[in-house]
Amino acid sequence: MCRLLRPAAASNRQVAAMTRAPARESMGMRGSSSRSERTLTSKETGMDIAVLGIGRMGRALAQRLLQDGHRVAVWNRTRGKAGELLSAGAEEKPTIADAVAEADVVITMLANDPAVRAVALGELRSSIDPRTIYIDSSTISPTLSGELAASFPDRFVAMPVVGSPAAVTAGQAVFLLGGDDSVIDRLGAMVSSLSDNSRRYDTAPLAIVAKLTANLLLLSGVVALAESFVVGRSGGLSEDQLRDLLGASPAVAPALQNRFESVLTGSHDGWWATALGAKDAGLALGLAHQADMELPVAAVVQRQYAAAASSGLNADIAAVADLYCSATRAAG
């Protein structure tokens, strides 16, 4: 069975304070929408779309758009990641200015606040056409999303994604759209290409709040699942017995089931790195702190992902389980 390890020491770092978002911002939710219910009814196809940032999620977005007949230009700080997209018809551009020159819509999908700030408030802002809609699909702070809305008035939409790259490519992800109705309505053809499942919110920051809410739930669930396995192994349960007990249990949510085997066996072939998990949990903590709320469980979750990342366990958030167990696991 898995040899139990001493839990990693909790990090002493405190979550960096977030700049307080503008007060009194409207945060009303409009609810879910489907292809038949949406007001996004444009039948226009073949839009020119630039995707800036082609990590796994950015590549999945570009691939899905190409599948539905849109023309896609891509840019990435590190070149050489666009091979399969080029084969599918995308054009790789050497600069941001080149990528957005002919775009109807520009999408950024980047790792964190500094990366988005550098691109959006740098070369993108100086080169984007004033008629082009700008979408940010990154998981960033609500504060920065509000800054982007102010910097690109009347044409900015936050559109974070709930789902894996595979779900995006298959058209099964959930897209959280936040911004002005009139701008979102202009994106009807593009959003319909991406998915039949979307949510709409009054503001860009509120769409980010929704994303952080969903992310924290999954991040916490992975840690709880890993610790449940520790309890079972500590008492002598085998992997097969744990699988039989919890593999089809309603206590394990569907999104958590996607990582069940990875957490159980240590075969981590995911896409959401532990460093990004720590970042997202930190953003959620910062949001709660702004409201003078303490989240003790979330604080532990954030420290565990930070500890996993600093230990080199960064393949996927499921690798947080390796803080507790050796890489050698007995066959069930």
Side-chain angles (χ1 to χ4, degrees), residues 52-55 75-78 96 107-125 134 136-141 144 148 152 276 279 283:
L52 309 181
I54 51 170
W75 170 88
N76 199 64
R77 190 179 303 278
T78 302
I96 292 172
I107 303 173
T108 48
M109 177 64 89
L110 302 166
N112 51 33
D113 279 35
V116 172
R117 188 182 298 278
V119 169
L121 302 182
E123 189 177 353
L124 176 60
R125 182 163 59 176
Y134 170 38
D136 181 52
S137 288
S138 317
T139 303
I140 58 174
S141 67
L144 178 54
L148 296 178
F152 297 86
L276 296 180
K279 179 263 297 183
L283 290 174

PDB file of all heavy atoms in Angstrom, residues 52-55 75-78 96 107-125 134 136-141 144 148 152 276 279 283:
ATOM      1  N   LEU A  52      -4.786  35.072 -28.232  1.00  0.00           N
ATOM      2  CA  LEU A  52      -3.470  35.419 -27.690  1.00  0.00           C
ATOM      3  C   LEU A  52      -3.213  34.564 -26.460  1.00  0.00           C
ATOM      4  O   LEU A  52      -3.905  34.684 -25.447  1.00  0.00           O
ATOM      5  CB  LEU A  52      -3.422  36.910 -27.317  1.00  0.00           C
ATOM      6  CG  LEU A  52      -3.874  37.892 -28.395  1.00  0.00           C
ATOM      7  CD1 LEU A  52      -3.736  39.335 -27.889  1.00  0.00           C
ATOM      8  CD2 LEU A  52      -3.105  37.694 -29.698  1.00  0.00           C
ATOM      9  N   GLY A  53      -2.232  33.666 -26.573  1.00  0.00           N
ATOM     10  CA  GLY A  53      -1.953  32.710 -25.514  1.00  0.00           C
ATOM     11  C   GLY A  53      -2.473  31.344 -25.909  1.00  0.00           C
ATOM     12  O   GLY A  53      -3.673  31.096 -25.857  1.00  0.00           O
ATOM     13  N   ILE A  54      -1.586  30.453 -26.318  1.00  0.00           N
ATOM     14  CA  ILE A  54      -2.022  29.136 -26.784  1.00  0.00           C
ATOM     15  C   ILE A  54      -1.373  28.036 -25.953  1.00  0.00           C
ATOM     16  O   ILE A  54      -0.739  27.126 -26.470  1.00  0.00           O
ATOM     17  CB  ILE A  54      -1.798  28.929 -28.296  1.00  0.00           C
ATOM     18  CG1 ILE A  54      -0.371  29.269 -28.712  1.00  0.00           C
ATOM     19  CG2 ILE A  54      -2.794  29.743 -29.091  1.00  0.00           C
ATOM     20  CD1 ILE A  54      -0.050  28.855 -30.149  1.00  0.00           C
ATOM     21  N   GLY A  55      -1.570  28.165 -24.639  1.00  0.00           N
ATOM     22  CA  GLY A  55      -1.361  27.012 -23.778  1.00  0.00           C
ATOM     23  C   GLY A  55      -2.473  26.014 -24.052  1.00  0.00           C
ATOM     24  O   GLY A  55      -3.182  26.107 -25.063  1.00  0.00           O
ATOM     25  N   TRP A  75      -1.247  33.958 -31.431  1.00  0.00           N
ATOM     26  CA  TRP A  75       0.041  34.480 -30.987  1.00  0.00           C
ATOM     27  C   TRP A  75       0.364  33.877 -29.633  1.00  0.00           C
ATOM     28  O   TRP A  75      -0.528  33.684 -28.802  1.00  0.00           O
ATOM     29  CB  TRP A  75       0.000  36.002 -30.852  1.00  0.00           C
ATOM     30  CG  TRP A  75       1.222  36.569 -30.175  1.00  0.00           C
ATOM     31  CD1 TRP A  75       2.393  36.932 -30.770  1.00  0.00           C
ATOM     32  CD2 TRP A  75       1.398  36.805 -28.768  1.00  0.00           C
ATOM     33  NE1 TRP A  75       3.287  37.371 -29.823  1.00  0.00           N
ATOM     34  CE2 TRP A  75       2.706  37.311 -28.585  1.00  0.00           C
ATOM     35  CE3 TRP A  75       0.579  36.624 -27.659  1.00  0.00           C
ATOM     36  CZ2 TRP A  75       3.203  37.648 -27.325  1.00  0.00           C
ATOM     37  CZ3 TRP A  75       1.072  36.950 -26.396  1.00  0.00           C
ATOM     38  CH2 TRP A  75       2.363  37.463 -26.239  1.00  0.00           C
ATOM     39  N   ASN A  76       1.641  33.570 -29.419  1.00  0.00           N
ATOM     40  CA  ASN A  76       2.081  33.083 -28.123  1.00  0.00           C
ATOM     41  C   ASN A  76       3.463  33.658 -27.849  1.00  0.00           C
ATOM     42  O   ASN A  76       4.279  33.817 -28.778  1.00  0.00           O
ATOM     43  CB  ASN A  76       2.146  31.553 -28.104  1.00  0.00           C
ATOM     44  CG  ASN A  76       2.157  30.992 -26.697  1.00  0.00           C
ATOM     45  OD1 ASN A  76       1.188  31.145 -25.953  1.00  0.00           O
ATOM     46  ND2 ASN A  76       3.248  30.344 -26.311  1.00  0.00           N
ATOM     47  N   ARG A  77       3.720  33.999 -26.595  1.00  0.00           N
ATOM     48  CA  ARG A  77       5.020  34.571 -26.256  1.00  0.00           C
ATOM     49  C   ARG A  77       6.145  33.620 -26.650  1.00  0.00           C
ATOM     50  O   ARG A  77       7.180  34.038 -27.146  1.00  0.00           O
ATOM     51  CB  ARG A  77       5.072  34.882 -24.755  1.00  0.00           C
ATOM     52  CG  ARG A  77       6.293  35.696 -24.346  1.00  0.00           C
ATOM     53  CD  ARG A  77       6.267  35.993 -22.857  1.00  0.00           C
ATOM     54  NE  ARG A  77       5.051  36.686 -22.473  1.00  0.00           N
ATOM     55  CZ  ARG A  77       4.873  38.008 -22.601  1.00  0.00           C
ATOM     56  NH1 ARG A  77       5.818  38.743 -23.144  1.00  0.00           N
ATOM     57  NH2 ARG A  77       3.739  38.559 -22.207  1.00  0.00           N
ATOM     58  N   THR A  78       5.930  32.319 -26.405  1.00  0.00           N
ATOM     59  CA  THR A  78       6.892  31.301 -26.817  1.00  0.00           C
ATOM     60  C   THR A  78       6.370  30.642 -28.083  1.00  0.00           C
ATOM     61  O   THR A  78       5.307  30.028 -28.082  1.00  0.00           O
ATOM     62  CB  THR A  78       7.073  30.237 -25.715  1.00  0.00           C
ATOM     63  OG1 THR A  78       7.496  30.874 -24.512  1.00  0.00           O
ATOM     64  CG2 THR A  78       8.107  29.209 -26.137  1.00  0.00           C
ATOM     65  N   ILE A  96       1.725  40.636 -31.420  1.00  0.00           N
ATOM     66  CA  ILE A  96       0.329  40.858 -31.058  1.00  0.00           C
ATOM     67  C   ILE A  96      -0.339  41.766 -32.081  1.00  0.00           C
ATOM     68  O   ILE A  96      -1.478  41.520 -32.500  1.00  0.00           O
ATOM     69  CB  ILE A  96       0.243  41.473 -29.647  1.00  0.00           C
ATOM     70  CG1 ILE A  96       0.704  40.441 -28.613  1.00  0.00           C
ATOM     71  CG2 ILE A  96      -1.168  41.952 -29.336  1.00  0.00           C
ATOM     72  CD1 ILE A  96       0.848  40.991 -27.208  1.00  0.00           C
ATOM     73  N   ILE A 107      -9.235  37.353 -28.205  1.00  0.00           N
ATOM     74  CA  ILE A 107      -9.380  36.604 -26.958  1.00  0.00           C
ATOM     75  C   ILE A 107      -7.999  36.417 -26.337  1.00  0.00           C
ATOM     76  O   ILE A 107      -7.077  35.953 -27.006  1.00  0.00           O
ATOM     77  CB  ILE A 107     -10.005  35.217 -27.193  1.00  0.00           C
ATOM     78  CG1 ILE A 107     -11.356  35.336 -27.891  1.00  0.00           C
ATOM     79  CG2 ILE A 107     -10.152  34.462 -25.874  1.00  0.00           C
ATOM     80  CD1 ILE A 107     -11.948  33.990 -28.298  1.00  0.00           C
ATOM     81  N   THR A 108      -7.859  36.785 -25.067  1.00  0.00           N
ATOM     82  CA  THR A 108      -6.647  36.435 -24.334  1.00  0.00           C
ATOM     83  C   THR A 108      -6.952  35.269 -23.399  1.00  0.00           C
ATOM     84  O   THR A 108      -7.978  35.236 -22.738  1.00  0.00           O
ATOM     85  CB  THR A 108      -6.096  37.615 -23.518  1.00  0.00           C
ATOM     86  OG1 THR A 108      -7.144  38.228 -22.765  1.00  0.00           O
ATOM     87  CG2 THR A 108      -5.473  38.655 -24.428  1.00  0.00           C
ATOM     88  N   MET A 109      -6.027  34.302 -23.368  1.00  0.00           N
ATOM     89  CA  MET A 109      -6.121  33.158 -22.454  1.00  0.00           C
ATOM     90  C   MET A 109      -4.718  32.967 -21.880  1.00  0.00           C
ATOM     91  O   MET A 109      -3.877  32.264 -22.450  1.00  0.00           O
ATOM     92  CB  MET A 109      -6.599  31.908 -23.188  1.00  0.00           C
ATOM     93  CG  MET A 109      -6.640  30.663 -22.310  1.00  0.00           C
ATOM     94  SD  MET A 109      -7.805  30.755 -20.949  1.00  0.00           S
ATOM     95  CE  MET A 109      -9.304  30.128 -21.701  1.00  0.00           C
ATOM     96  N   LEU A 110      -4.459  33.644 -20.752  1.00  0.00           N
ATOM     97  CA  LEU A 110      -3.122  33.707 -20.190  1.00  0.00           C
ATOM     98  C   LEU A 110      -3.133  33.237 -18.740  1.00  0.00           C
ATOM     99  O   LEU A 110      -4.189  33.038 -18.140  1.00  0.00           O
ATOM    100  CB  LEU A 110      -2.586  35.137 -20.309  1.00  0.00           C
ATOM    101  CG  LEU A 110      -2.529  35.671 -21.761  1.00  0.00           C
ATOM    102  CD1 LEU A 110      -2.330  37.168 -21.794  1.00  0.00           C
ATOM    103  CD2 LEU A 110      -1.433  34.953 -22.545  1.00  0.00           C
ATOM    104  N   ALA A 111      -1.950  33.089 -18.153  1.00  0.00           N
ATOM    105  CA  ALA A 111      -1.820  32.360 -16.900  1.00  0.00           C
ATOM    106  C   ALA A 111      -2.277  33.115 -15.667  1.00  0.00           C
ATOM    107  O   ALA A 111      -2.835  32.516 -14.747  1.00  0.00           O
ATOM    108  CB  ALA A 111      -0.367  31.916 -16.706  1.00  0.00           C
ATOM    109  N   ASN A 112      -2.058  34.424 -15.618  1.00  0.00           N
ATOM    110  CA  ASN A 112      -2.276  35.131 -14.361  1.00  0.00           C
ATOM    111  C   ASN A 112      -2.388  36.633 -14.593  1.00  0.00           C
ATOM    112  O   ASN A 112      -2.277  37.109 -15.737  1.00  0.00           O
ATOM    113  CB  ASN A 112      -1.138  34.817 -13.378  1.00  0.00           C
ATOM    114  CG  ASN A 112       0.238  35.040 -13.995  1.00  0.00           C
ATOM    115  OD1 ASN A 112       0.430  35.928 -14.828  1.00  0.00           O
ATOM    116  ND2 ASN A 112       1.199  34.223 -13.599  1.00  0.00           N
ATOM    117  N   ASP A 113      -2.579  37.375 -13.515  1.00  0.00           N
ATOM    118  CA  ASP A 113      -2.742  38.827 -13.614  1.00  0.00           C
ATOM    119  C   ASP A 113      -1.557  39.511 -14.298  1.00  0.00           C
ATOM    120  O   ASP A 113      -1.763  40.328 -15.203  1.00  0.00           O
ATOM    121  CB  ASP A 113      -2.953  39.432 -12.222  1.00  0.00           C
ATOM    122  CG  ASP A 113      -4.386  39.307 -11.727  1.00  0.00           C
ATOM    123  OD1 ASP A 113      -5.041  38.287 -12.038  1.00  0.00           O
ATOM    124  OD2 ASP A 113      -4.855  40.222 -11.014  1.00  0.00           O
ATOM    125  N   PRO A 114      -0.310  39.229 -13.890  1.00  0.00           N
ATOM    126  CA  PRO A 114       0.804  39.919 -14.552  1.00  0.00           C
ATOM    127  C   PRO A 114       0.863  39.671 -16.051  1.00  0.00           C
ATOM    128  O   PRO A 114       1.148  40.589 -16.830  1.00  0.00           O
ATOM    129  CB  PRO A 114       2.034  39.356 -13.835  1.00  0.00           C
ATOM    130  CG  PRO A 114       1.537  38.962 -12.490  1.00  0.00           C
ATOM    131  CD  PRO A 114       0.151  38.432 -12.724  1.00  0.00           C
ATOM    132  N   ALA A 115       0.598  38.429 -16.471  1.00  0.00           N
ATOM    133  CA  ALA A 115       0.648  38.122 -17.907  1.00  0.00           C
ATOM    134  C   ALA A 115      -0.452  38.857 -18.665  1.00  0.00           C
ATOM    135  O   ALA A 115      -0.221  39.410 -19.742  1.00  0.00           O
ATOM    136  CB  ALA A 115       0.528  36.614 -18.123  1.00  0.00           C
ATOM    137  N   VAL A 116      -1.671  38.862 -18.107  1.00  0.00           N
ATOM    138  CA  VAL A 116      -2.779  39.553 -18.771  1.00  0.00           C
ATOM    139  C   VAL A 116      -2.525  41.056 -18.799  1.00  0.00           C
ATOM    140  O   VAL A 116      -2.741  41.722 -19.819  1.00  0.00           O
ATOM    141  CB  VAL A 116      -4.113  39.237 -18.062  1.00  0.00           C
ATOM    142  CG1 VAL A 116      -5.236  40.104 -18.635  1.00  0.00           C
ATOM    143  CG2 VAL A 116      -4.456  37.761 -18.224  1.00  0.00           C
ATOM    144  N   ARG A 117      -2.064  41.599 -17.688  1.00  0.00           N
ATOM    145  CA  ARG A 117      -1.807  43.043 -17.644  1.00  0.00           C
ATOM    146  C   ARG A 117      -0.756  43.446 -18.676  1.00  0.00           C
ATOM    147  O   ARG A 117      -0.903  44.456 -19.373  1.00  0.00           O
ATOM    148  CB  ARG A 117      -1.347  43.437 -16.235  1.00  0.00           C
ATOM    149  CG  ARG A 117      -1.228  44.942 -16.020  1.00  0.00           C
ATOM    150  CD  ARG A 117      -0.725  45.251 -14.610  1.00  0.00           C
ATOM    151  NE  ARG A 117      -1.643  44.781 -13.597  1.00  0.00           N
ATOM    152  CZ  ARG A 117      -2.720  45.463 -13.215  1.00  0.00           C
ATOM    153  NH1 ARG A 117      -2.998  46.632 -13.772  1.00  0.00           N
ATOM    154  NH2 ARG A 117      -3.519  44.981 -12.281  1.00  0.00           N
ATOM    155  N   ALA A 118       0.308  42.656 -18.772  1.00  0.00           N
ATOM    156  CA  ALA A 118       1.381  42.992 -19.710  1.00  0.00           C
ATOM    157  C   ALA A 118       0.896  42.996 -21.158  1.00  0.00           C
ATOM    158  O   ALA A 118       1.251  43.875 -21.940  1.00  0.00           O
ATOM    159  CB  ALA A 118       2.543  42.009 -19.538  1.00  0.00           C
ATOM    160  N   VAL A 119       0.078  42.007 -21.512  1.00  0.00           N
ATOM    161  CA  VAL A 119      -0.402  41.908 -22.887  1.00  0.00           C
ATOM    162  C   VAL A 119      -1.527  42.905 -23.161  1.00  0.00           C
ATOM    163  O   VAL A 119      -1.474  43.677 -24.123  1.00  0.00           O
ATOM    164  CB  VAL A 119      -0.874  40.465 -23.179  1.00  0.00           C
ATOM    165  CG1 VAL A 119      -1.633  40.416 -24.507  1.00  0.00           C
ATOM    166  CG2 VAL A 119       0.312  39.518 -23.217  1.00  0.00           C
ATOM    167  N   ALA A 120      -2.546  42.896 -22.307  1.00  0.00           N
ATOM    168  CA  ALA A 120      -3.747  43.696 -22.578  1.00  0.00           C
ATOM    169  C   ALA A 120      -3.472  45.187 -22.490  1.00  0.00           C
ATOM    170  O   ALA A 120      -3.938  45.973 -23.339  1.00  0.00           O
ATOM    171  CB  ALA A 120      -4.864  43.311 -21.617  1.00  0.00           C
ATOM    172  N   LEU A 121      -2.743  45.589 -21.475  1.00  0.00           N
ATOM    173  CA  LEU A 121      -2.488  47.016 -21.276  1.00  0.00           C
ATOM    174  C   LEU A 121      -1.175  47.462 -21.908  1.00  0.00           C
ATOM    175  O   LEU A 121      -0.748  48.605 -21.728  1.00  0.00           O
ATOM    176  CB  LEU A 121      -2.498  47.328 -19.774  1.00  0.00           C
ATOM    177  CG  LEU A 121      -3.803  46.965 -19.059  1.00  0.00           C
ATOM    178  CD1 LEU A 121      -3.749  47.360 -17.582  1.00  0.00           C
ATOM    179  CD2 LEU A 121      -5.009  47.608 -19.733  1.00  0.00           C
ATOM    180  N   GLY A 122      -0.578  46.549 -22.654  1.00  0.00           N
ATOM    181  CA  GLY A 122       0.636  46.869 -23.385  1.00  0.00           C
ATOM    182  C   GLY A 122       0.357  46.946 -24.882  1.00  0.00           C
ATOM    183  O   GLY A 122      -0.375  47.815 -25.352  1.00  0.00           O
ATOM    184  N   GLU A 123       0.897  45.975 -25.627  1.00  0.00           N
ATOM    185  CA  GLU A 123       0.796  46.028 -27.085  1.00  0.00           C
ATOM    186  C   GLU A 123      -0.634  45.892 -27.590  1.00  0.00           C
ATOM    187  O   GLU A 123      -0.996  46.486 -28.610  1.00  0.00           O
ATOM    188  CB  GLU A 123       1.670  44.931 -27.699  1.00  0.00           C
ATOM    189  CG  GLU A 123       1.791  45.038 -29.219  1.00  0.00           C
ATOM    190  CD  GLU A 123       2.707  44.000 -29.821  1.00  0.00           C
ATOM    191  OE1 GLU A 123       3.364  43.263 -29.049  1.00  0.00           O
ATOM    192  OE2 GLU A 123       2.766  43.926 -31.067  1.00  0.00           O
ATOM    193  N   LEU A 124      -1.470  45.130 -26.888  1.00  0.00           N
ATOM    194  CA  LEU A 124      -2.842  44.974 -27.359  1.00  0.00           C
ATOM    195  C   LEU A 124      -3.579  46.304 -27.352  1.00  0.00           C
ATOM    196  O   LEU A 124      -4.227  46.671 -28.347  1.00  0.00           O
ATOM    197  CB  LEU A 124      -3.590  43.950 -26.501  1.00  0.00           C
ATOM    198  CG  LEU A 124      -5.073  43.762 -26.842  1.00  0.00           C
ATOM    199  CD1 LEU A 124      -5.250  43.301 -28.286  1.00  0.00           C
ATOM    200  CD2 LEU A 124      -5.733  42.777 -25.889  1.00  0.00           C
ATOM    201  N   ARG A 125      -3.519  47.029 -26.265  1.00  0.00           N
ATOM    202  CA  ARG A 125      -4.257  48.289 -26.175  1.00  0.00           C
ATOM    203  C   ARG A 125      -3.790  49.287 -27.227  1.00  0.00           C
ATOM    204  O   ARG A 125      -4.589  50.058 -27.754  1.00  0.00           O
ATOM    205  CB  ARG A 125      -4.112  48.899 -24.774  1.00  0.00           C
ATOM    206  CG  ARG A 125      -4.895  50.195 -24.612  1.00  0.00           C
ATOM    207  CD  ARG A 125      -5.102  50.580 -23.164  1.00  0.00           C
ATOM    208  NE  ARG A 125      -3.859  50.750 -22.430  1.00  0.00           N
ATOM    209  CZ  ARG A 125      -3.803  51.157 -21.159  1.00  0.00           C
ATOM    210  NH1 ARG A 125      -4.920  51.414 -20.497  1.00  0.00           N
ATOM    211  NH2 ARG A 125      -2.639  51.270 -20.544  1.00  0.00           N
ATOM    212  N   TYR A 134     -12.913  42.902 -27.331  1.00  0.00           N
ATOM    213  CA  TYR A 134     -11.847  42.231 -26.593  1.00  0.00           C
ATOM    214  C   TYR A 134     -12.455  41.357 -25.503  1.00  0.00           C
ATOM    215  O   TYR A 134     -13.220  41.823 -24.669  1.00  0.00           O
ATOM    216  CB  TYR A 134     -10.888  43.260 -25.990  1.00  0.00           C
ATOM    217  CG  TYR A 134      -9.894  42.665 -25.005  1.00  0.00           C
ATOM    218  CD1 TYR A 134      -9.323  41.410 -25.210  1.00  0.00           C
ATOM    219  CD2 TYR A 134      -9.522  43.369 -23.867  1.00  0.00           C
ATOM    220  CE1 TYR A 134      -8.437  40.866 -24.316  1.00  0.00           C
ATOM    221  CE2 TYR A 134      -8.621  42.836 -22.960  1.00  0.00           C
ATOM    222  CZ  TYR A 134      -8.082  41.578 -23.197  1.00  0.00           C
ATOM    223  OH  TYR A 134      -7.196  41.034 -22.302  1.00  0.00           O
ATOM    224  N   ASP A 136     -11.450  38.553 -22.436  1.00  0.00           N
ATOM    225  CA  ASP A 136     -10.427  37.873 -21.648  1.00  0.00           C
ATOM    226  C   ASP A 136     -11.028  36.617 -21.047  1.00  0.00           C
ATOM    227  O   ASP A 136     -12.035  36.679 -20.342  1.00  0.00           O
ATOM    228  CB  ASP A 136      -9.874  38.762 -20.540  1.00  0.00           C
ATOM    229  CG  ASP A 136      -8.804  38.038 -19.747  1.00  0.00           C
ATOM    230  OD1 ASP A 136      -7.869  37.513 -20.373  1.00  0.00           O
ATOM    231  OD2 ASP A 136      -8.923  37.969 -18.508  1.00  0.00           O
ATOM    232  N   SER A 137     -10.406  35.469 -21.331  1.00  0.00           N
ATOM    233  CA  SER A 137     -10.878  34.182 -20.809  1.00  0.00           C
ATOM    234  C   SER A 137      -9.960  33.635 -19.722  1.00  0.00           C
ATOM    235  O   SER A 137     -10.115  32.489 -19.300  1.00  0.00           O
ATOM    236  CB  SER A 137     -11.000  33.162 -21.948  1.00  0.00           C
ATOM    237  OG  SER A 137     -12.096  33.471 -22.785  1.00  0.00           O
ATOM    238  N   SER A 138      -9.008  34.427 -19.281  1.00  0.00           N
ATOM    239  CA  SER A 138      -8.079  34.006 -18.239  1.00  0.00           C
ATOM    240  C   SER A 138      -8.763  34.003 -16.883  1.00  0.00           C
ATOM    241  O   SER A 138      -9.757  34.682 -16.665  1.00  0.00           O
ATOM    242  CB  SER A 138      -6.878  34.961 -18.190  1.00  0.00           C
ATOM    243  OG  SER A 138      -6.396  35.284 -19.488  1.00  0.00           O
ATOM    244  N   THR A 139      -8.202  33.241 -15.949  1.00  0.00           N
ATOM    245  CA  THR A 139      -8.666  33.288 -14.563  1.00  0.00           C
ATOM    246  C   THR A 139      -7.793  34.307 -13.832  1.00  0.00           C
ATOM    247  O   THR A 139      -6.638  34.017 -13.494  1.00  0.00           O
ATOM    248  CB  THR A 139      -8.575  31.916 -13.886  1.00  0.00           C
ATOM    249  OG1 THR A 139      -9.335  30.970 -14.651  1.00  0.00           O
ATOM    250  CG2 THR A 139      -9.147  31.968 -12.477  1.00  0.00           C
ATOM    251  N   ILE A 140      -8.336  35.488 -13.632  1.00  0.00           N
ATOM    252  CA  ILE A 140      -7.603  36.596 -13.042  1.00  0.00           C
ATOM    253  C   ILE A 140      -8.400  37.152 -11.866  1.00  0.00           C
ATOM    254  O   ILE A 140      -9.464  36.641 -11.527  1.00  0.00           O
ATOM    255  CB  ILE A 140      -7.330  37.709 -14.080  1.00  0.00           C
ATOM    256  CG1 ILE A 140      -8.654  38.220 -14.675  1.00  0.00           C
ATOM    257  CG2 ILE A 140      -6.407  37.187 -15.183  1.00  0.00           C
ATOM    258  CD1 ILE A 140      -8.497  39.413 -15.603  1.00  0.00           C
ATOM    259  N   SER A 141      -7.907  38.203 -11.260  1.00  0.00           N
ATOM    260  CA  SER A 141      -8.638  38.821 -10.162  1.00  0.00           C
ATOM    261  C   SER A 141      -9.809  39.632 -10.700  1.00  0.00           C
ATOM    262  O   SER A 141      -9.728  40.204 -11.793  1.00  0.00           O
ATOM    263  CB  SER A 141      -7.711  39.732  -9.358  1.00  0.00           C
ATOM    264  OG  SER A 141      -7.310  40.857 -10.135  1.00  0.00           O
ATOM    265  N   LEU A 144      -8.617  43.212 -11.601  1.00  0.00           N
ATOM    266  CA  LEU A 144      -8.008  43.419 -12.914  1.00  0.00           C
ATOM    267  C   LEU A 144      -9.063  43.361 -14.012  1.00  0.00           C
ATOM    268  O   LEU A 144      -9.008  44.133 -14.976  1.00  0.00           O
ATOM    269  CB  LEU A 144      -6.919  42.377 -13.177  1.00  0.00           C
ATOM    270  CG  LEU A 144      -6.241  42.473 -14.550  1.00  0.00           C
ATOM    271  CD1 LEU A 144      -5.683  43.867 -14.808  1.00  0.00           C
ATOM    272  CD2 LEU A 144      -5.150  41.410 -14.690  1.00  0.00           C
ATOM    273  N   LEU A 148      -9.721  46.144 -16.923  1.00  0.00           N
ATOM    274  CA  LEU A 148      -9.789  45.893 -18.361  1.00  0.00           C
ATOM    275  C   LEU A 148     -11.082  46.461 -18.944  1.00  0.00           C
ATOM    276  O   LEU A 148     -11.075  47.032 -20.045  1.00  0.00           O
ATOM    277  CB  LEU A 148      -9.693  44.395 -18.646  1.00  0.00           C
ATOM    278  CG  LEU A 148      -8.381  43.716 -18.250  1.00  0.00           C
ATOM    279  CD1 LEU A 148      -8.455  42.227 -18.537  1.00  0.00           C
ATOM    280  CD2 LEU A 148      -7.194  44.339 -18.965  1.00  0.00           C
ATOM    281  N   PHE A 152     -11.023  49.235 -21.901  1.00  0.00           N
ATOM    282  CA  PHE A 152     -11.594  48.928 -23.219  1.00  0.00           C
ATOM    283  C   PHE A 152     -13.110  49.159 -23.140  1.00  0.00           C
ATOM    284  O   PHE A 152     -13.896  48.205 -23.232  1.00  0.00           O
ATOM    285  CB  PHE A 152     -11.282  47.488 -23.619  1.00  0.00           C
ATOM    286  CG  PHE A 152      -9.818  47.189 -23.775  1.00  0.00           C
ATOM    287  CD1 PHE A 152      -9.045  46.826 -22.669  1.00  0.00           C
ATOM    288  CD2 PHE A 152      -9.204  47.274 -25.009  1.00  0.00           C
ATOM    289  CE1 PHE A 152      -7.693  46.554 -22.801  1.00  0.00           C
ATOM    290  CE2 PHE A 152      -7.845  47.006 -25.162  1.00  0.00           C
ATOM    291  CZ  PHE A 152      -7.088  46.649 -24.050  1.00  0.00           C
ATOM    292  N   LEU A 276      -1.050  26.904 -10.703  1.00  0.00           N
ATOM    293  CA  LEU A 276      -2.238  27.669 -11.075  1.00  0.00           C
ATOM    294  C   LEU A 276      -3.375  27.414 -10.092  1.00  0.00           C
ATOM    295  O   LEU A 276      -4.181  28.309  -9.819  1.00  0.00           O
ATOM    296  CB  LEU A 276      -2.662  27.312 -12.501  1.00  0.00           C
ATOM    297  CG  LEU A 276      -1.660  27.687 -13.593  1.00  0.00           C
ATOM    298  CD1 LEU A 276      -2.189  27.272 -14.965  1.00  0.00           C
ATOM    299  CD2 LEU A 276      -1.343  29.180 -13.570  1.00  0.00           C
ATOM    300  N   LYS A 279      -2.690  29.657  -7.264  1.00  0.00           N
ATOM    301  CA  LYS A 279      -3.038  31.024  -7.661  1.00  0.00           C
ATOM    302  C   LYS A 279      -4.535  31.265  -7.583  1.00  0.00           C
ATOM    303  O   LYS A 279      -4.989  32.285  -7.031  1.00  0.00           O
ATOM    304  CB  LYS A 279      -2.513  31.281  -9.075  1.00  0.00           C
ATOM    305  CG  LYS A 279      -2.806  32.661  -9.643  1.00  0.00           C
ATOM    306  CD  LYS A 279      -4.046  32.680 -10.541  1.00  0.00           C
ATOM    307  CE  LYS A 279      -3.892  31.815 -11.765  1.00  0.00           C
ATOM    308  NZ  LYS A 279      -5.090  31.907 -12.643  1.00  0.00           N
ATOM    309  N   LEU A 283      -6.685  33.801  -5.169  1.00  0.00           N
ATOM    310  CA  LEU A 283      -7.621  34.830  -5.628  1.00  0.00           C
ATOM    311  C   LEU A 283      -8.960  34.724  -4.901  1.00  0.00           C
ATOM    312  O   LEU A 283      -9.565  35.743  -4.549  1.00  0.00           O
ATOM    313  CB  LEU A 283      -7.822  34.698  -7.141  1.00  0.00           C
ATOM    314  CG  LEU A 283      -6.640  35.080  -8.030  1.00  0.00           C
ATOM    315  CD1 LEU A 283      -6.950  34.745  -9.491  1.00  0.00           C
ATOM    316  CD2 LEU A 283      -6.296  36.558  -7.892  1.00  0.00           C
TER     317      LEU A 283
END
